Amino acid sequence: MSPQVLETVDRVIDKYHKDKSMLIPILQDIQREYNYLPREALLRVKDKLNVPLPQIYAVATFYKAFSLKPRGKHTIYVCMGTACHVRGSPKILEEIQRKLDIKPGETTPDLNFTLETVNCLGACALGPLVVVDGNYFARVTPVQVEKILNKYKER
Amino acid sequence: MVKLVIDGKEVEVEEGLSVLEAAKRIGVKIPTLCYHPAVSAYGACRVCTVEVIRKGWSRLTAACTYPVQDGIEVKTNSEKVIKARRLIIEMLLARCPNVKAIQELAREMGLDKVRFPQEDKECILCGLCVRVCSEVIGANAIGFASRGLERKVTTPFEIEPDTCIGCGACAVVCPTGAIKIEDIEDKRKIDMWSRKLERVRCERCGRYFFTKAMVDYVKARNEKIEKLQEFLNLCPDCRREILKDKLRVTKETTTLHRT
Amino acid sequence: MSKKIKSLKELEELRKEGLKSLYPDKPRIMIGMATCGLASGANEVFEALNTKVRENRIDIKIVPTGCLGYCQIEPLVDVFKPGWPRIIYQKMNGEKVIKLLESLTRESIWKDSILARLDRDELLIFGKTKKYDIQGELSGVIDDIPLLQEIPFYCKQFRIASRNCGFIDPTNVIEYVARGGYYSLFKVLSQYEPDQVIEEIIKSGLRGRGGGGFPTGKKWLYCRQAKGNVKYVICNADEGDPGAYMDRSILEGDPHSILEGMIIGAYAIGAREGYIYVRNEYPLAVKHISIAIKQAEEYGLLGEDILGSGFSFSIRVNRGGGAFVCGESTALMASLEGRVGEPRAKHIHTVESGLWEKPTNLNNVETWANVPVIIARGADWYSKIGTEGSKGTKIFSLVGKINNTGLAEVPMGITLREIIFDIGGGIPGGKKFKAVQTGGPSGGCIPENFLDLPVDFDALTKVGSMMGSGGMIVMDEDTCMVDVAKYFLTFLKDESCGKCTSCREGIKQMLEILNRITQGEGKEEDIELLEELSEVVKSTSLCALGGTAPNPVLTTIRYFRDEYEAHIKDKKCPARVCRDLITYTIDQEKCTGCTRCARECPQEAIVGERRKPHRILQEKCVKCGICYETCKFDAIKVE
């Protein structure tokens, strides 16, 4: 296990006072740090928190916030809330899928984009909504998809 | 003590029992799949659905997790119950068409047609294996992963779990036979967990019996009991032989009690 | 030196400080910067204003505020200047706000993009009105500006839970105190016994605003009566119903109202620890509630020895992990314990055995936000609002095919028609109303003939739906109701924890049938089978997610059976939504051959010569709709 990972994980666990019930916030901090949950990090959590590994694995795979595989540099969130759906978000999602050749939950091979659907971001006046890196794109139409993607392809 | 009525029969039991357990006491049979007396009740399969009438309100619920209450009336075979139970089993049969236990339940319910597209799974996600590994054995080698339709029983990272001692308790409690233990000579294989273990020979008769991991596991937890150490190097049959003279112990009395 | 408040006098001092902040002797410009405001460009407005103000060293206060509710016309900018009425501007941008600033520095009211004016502030906690001191000369200039209360979106509203949203800086506790914040807490700690507090809440008739509608006072009573010294209080901020965002609005715009409510509740129940469980997808809400907790602790309004009363209570914020099912109370508690969000059957209620098997009282954000008002104005006053069985107000999120998208808080008993057509302004594009979905995935679709039903906890259940958390998704003639049912089941399929057979397999099979129907492979027996599945899933699921999952299917079959039959028998989608049942063609009369659509088509499915009518190659067409959007001659037909 790399010492850097061990150190980071230990720091996070100490921040939460080695409290087993704080497993989810602990994993959230680790996820934020590495953009995914590395296996060795989870093994370290098992050792230091004294939580059985199956429980950690269950939590890591149950919640959408966690990923066991590295996430892309830019995460594209397509809101699939009812209001956005009624305004045509499925077409937006399809267009993005076509352009990037990945399905929701997947990451492009060059690790640039991860596509995720999200259930209602609460900005329903602006639907269909697409959020990339915290930037909101409102009233998106399928035609605009390419432009939005190009913004992040160059970076 | 709590008084309730099950299928017209009055029964009085201690507080804390489930309706399923109370029904057993008076010989009323309710079908189950995810229930086993050795582990906690879970309420996942819904096969033990019964009708409970309380304060004039009727509802369907799982008997294994519904606590007995004073004055309730339970119907295990009303029309509502049969209709629900039949559909639940139909869905399970669609998922696992080749599992004997489910085929048997389907036969009992008079189910001859499955109106849903068929898969070919064996696991019904009852969780008995997970619970026995955690609550009884304490090895904590397996668990659930993902949710919804992706939910499955697996090992962490879906690789061979080094905490699995190969005791086979999971296979014993599995109602569908999805977990298979393969014993060939000095090896034990549990494919479901990609687990391969070594077995040890009995010091007395020379046959392979438990896995080395099992023996080590029990020894480690009972270090202080010296007599146990030598006992663990013998297979169950040889142990019985040795004890027979001392305690008049027979095979019947040492068989694991199963309902 | 300690800032901790230990007396009414000190609270008053803090209020005076807050009043100076709310009504300074120089201009104060508020910009709606809740998530909805930010999403529509409020940051650009803020930056532009900030830059100009710093450059020219103009002496004005710029304050980010929460959501006023009228999301359709955001970004909203609110200007207060001593001697003026408050003026609220709509649909602002960086350019416009500079023009506004220029007028302001020239002491003249910028007349462009005005939404409304306010000539007074309603201080709900005190039951008082604060009138603005308006210069006499202005009367000619401002008379043509409507008052906020006169605008259709606002005239039927009565903001109780959202009383401070859009009026204060949510990251500054003194402004919350200025408008009466923490006075109710003080009243409770200095004058009430815990039982009296519970009595008051019971008398008020307050019912849970998260969707369950359980009488709040009763819940508190059961929790108080439960055995044990350790008890917990939880705020469920896991708002998961798609289309509902009122909780987020309160968390971002008035976080202290939730804290105050929780502290009062904890006192009444006898809890010393509380949790706020916020959905993972709400980072701004998490930020604001965390700041609020810190500030409240600084002022001795939370933590040890609150307000010098001897009562101690602390709150922790936990973020969800991205699971709708964690909005269910037992799953939420499992999540707080570090486990997966699997619900358990509630034969033993959580008020008796909840978090860590201790008595736990869980309430929704909006429920907590109502508490300080009930204490301040009394149960009698509160119970006069609303209907017989549903007292008080409810915040509704009006979204979908509606002109005025936003959040509206109205007394319960108002009709669906009033909400959708008076407040909501009706359907855009002159389209016809078809249905309104209420109650999220647990609710149902309500058709036109029920528009005059009053909205409260009980009236909508009679027609197969429910009020739920207040989400109202309006649908028009271009919405396919079978597609709506499919949508909700798809949502629930991904959110089901998967533990019980009924929900997991039931939803799967129902969805499979709906998929076939929308793909033109429906069978005659399908509707009956859907109804049979619905019954069993409803009655045998372990928790309410599965227990209410069939509702959207049942209501759409009940009220829009003809659409199902059109899909199954005629293989047609009347609303022209279901991809496999529609065709895109080019009207040969209207097409000018401009080739625009051909160039935009991602499948290169459109062929034709320049200036001659084009046509779509059906075998290549994937029905993405890009040509429809692109065509300027209305030549693309969808059938």
Side-chain angles (χ1 to χ4, degrees), chain C residues 586-605:
Chain C
I586 296 179
D587 188 332
Q588 299 292 292
E589 316 259 301
K590 289 192 180 161
C591 177
T592 63
C594 75
T595 75
R596 242 220 167 90
C597 59
R599 283 178 277 137
E600 295 286 352
C601 176
Q603 303 298 115
E604 290 174 359

Side-chain angles (χ1 to χ4, degrees), chain C residues 90-284:
Chain C
Q90 58 175 308
K91 296 207 178 115
M92 296 295 279
N93 56 34
E95 224 182 280
K96 287 191 196 174
V97 81
I98 300 301
K99 292 207 186 108
L100 164 61
L101 181 66
E102 282 164 7
S103 292
L104 188 63
T105 47
R106 278 183 283 114
E107 305 274 325
S108 106
I109 295 179
W110 191 58
K111 282 300 206 97
D112 194 358
S113 302
I114 291 185
L115 171 72
R117 68 184 156 101
L118 276 167
D119 60 3
R120 64 196 66 196
D121 272 344
E122 297 297 336
L123 299 174
L124 202 61
I125 296 286
F126 299 124
K128 291 202 180 91
T129 305
K130 183 187 159 66
K131 272 192 166 166
Y132 291 137
D133 227 341
I134 298 173
Q135 294 165 347
E137 318 90 75
L138 282 179
S139 53
V141 183
I142 60 169
D143 281 350
D144 58 336
I145 304 175
L147 290 166
L148 193 67
Q149 312 89 276
E150 289 167 356
I151 297 189
F153 189 77
Y154 287 102
C155 66
K156 296 194 176 190
Q157 290 199 42
F158 187 2
R159 299 176 96 215
I160 297 182
S162 52
R163 59 191 176 279
N164 292 323
C165 295
F167 286 79
I168 61 170
D169 174 356
T171 61
N172 193 351
V173 63
I174 65 175
E175 296 199 359
Y176 178 71
V177 174
R179 282 174 65 91
Y182 290 109
Y183 274 81
S184 301
L185 177 60
F186 192 89
K187 187 175 176 186
V188 160
L189 293 177
S190 56
Q191 297 171 30
Y192 286 46
E193 286 299 319
D195 292 319
Q196 289 170 287
V197 178
I198 295 180
E199 262 255 16
E200 196 69 8
I201 301 295
I202 292 178
K203 253 185 18 194
S204 74
L206 179 66
R207 288 171 69 172
R209 296 290 194 260
F214 192 85
T216 308
K218 246 202 217 164
K219 199 186 238 187
W220 290 18
L221 182 65
Y222 291 154
C223 194
R224 179 167 180 79
Q225 289 172 337
K227 294 197 201 96
N229 286 329
V230 179
K231 295 184 184 171
Y232 297 105
V233 145
I234 298 179
C235 171
N236 186 345
D238 192 56
E239 190 166 58
D241 284 356
Y245 58 102
M246 51 291 275
D247 289 351
R248 193 204 65 210
S249 168
I250 300 176
L251 285 158
E252 292 177 347
D254 192 15
H256 285 281
S257 64
I258 302 164
L259 299 182
E260 190 179 357
M262 283 177 78
I263 304 167
I264 292 172
Y267 173 75
I269 290 163
R272 293 182 57 100
E273 277 178 66
Y275 291 86
I276 301 179
Y277 187 88
V278 187
R279 200 175 154 206
N280 187 45
E281 296 87 339
Y282 284 172
L284 190 61

Side-chain angles (χ1 to χ4, degrees), chain A residues 18-79:
Chain A
K18 295 197 173 79
D19 185 352
K20 283 182 196 180
S21 73
M22 299 302 272
L23 177 62
I24 292 165
I26 288 169
L27 293 183
Q28 281 167 337
D29 279 9
I30 298 173
Q31 168 85 30
R32 203 173 303 130
E33 185 81 32
Y34 295 104
N35 214 15
Y36 79 111
L37 294 175
R39 187 187 299 184
E40 38 174 1
L42 295 183
L43 290 171
R44 185 64 170 180
V45 171
K46 166 192 75 128
D47 289 331
K48 292 226 85 180
L49 266 191
N50 209 7
V51 172
L53 196 56
Q55 189 186 325
I56 299 174
Y57 189 70
V59 166
T61 54
F62 181 90
Y63 294 101
K64 231 178 161 186
F66 304 129
S67 174
L68 292 173
K69 284 194 257 201
R71 281 232 166 106
K73 202 154 125 214
H74 309 289
T75 303
I76 304 168
Y77 291 100
V78 180
C79 180

Side-chain angles (χ1 to χ4, degrees), chain B residues 137 164-169 188 197-200 209-220 232:
Chain B
I137 307 298
C164 167
I165 61 173
C167 66
R188 167 168 282 187
L197 305 120
E198 273 184 35
R199 295 163 85 198
V200 291
F209 64 110
F210 291 160
T211 66
K212 184 169 187 305
M214 282 164 77
V215 175
D216 291 343
Y217 190 79
V218 178
K219 276 191 182 168
L232 284 171

